[in-house]
Amino acid sequence: MLERKSRKNATDITFVLPHDVPPGPVSVVGTFNDWRPGTHVLEPRPDGTRAVTVALPPRTTHNFRYLAAGDYWFNDEGADGHEGPNSRLDT
């Protein structure tokens, strides 16, 4: 799931997953972090989910995927679309 909050010069995108699906650590990787695993790791939230927020320039498009333990890559069903094997995000 994606949560969005517009600010003056950026859009905050919060990537949200259930706390245990998939199990273990999960990071979001994409064009906004040069596809570097571990840069944006989802952390537990009080509501029982886990999330990470990334500030992105407005009116841009980014590709991303989630990477879980065991080299398990997966997409976000709430993405704005798909581009090849990746989820697409339009800010």
Side-chain angles (χ1 to χ4, degrees):
M1 177 174 73
L2 302 173
E3 298 173 351
R4 301 165 196 254
K5 181 178 180 185
S6 295
R7 294 187 295 136
K8 184 176 179 179
N9 295 318
T11 301
D12 288 340
I13 304 296
T14 302
F15 299 87
V16 183
L17 293 174
H19 78 281
D20 60 350
V21 180
V26 176
S27 60
V28 61
V29 293
T31 53
F32 49 84
N33 63 14
D34 295 324
W35 297 95
R36 289 183 307 220
T39 302
H40 294 103
V41 177
L42 282 76
E43 299 291 339
R45 297 197 306 185
D47 68 359
T49 62
R50 55 187 161 170
V52 65
T53 300
V54 180
L56 299 173
R59 297 173 300 283
T60 58
T61 298
H62 300 275
N63 292 326
F64 73 96
R65 295 190 85 190
Y66 295 105
L67 176 59
D71 201 32
Y72 173 62
W73 292 86
F74 62 102
N75 289 321
D76 193 313
E77 293 180 16
D80 297 325
H82 292 87
E83 209 166 291
N86 305 316
S87 296
R88 189 186 78 243
L89 171 65
D90 302 315
T91 60

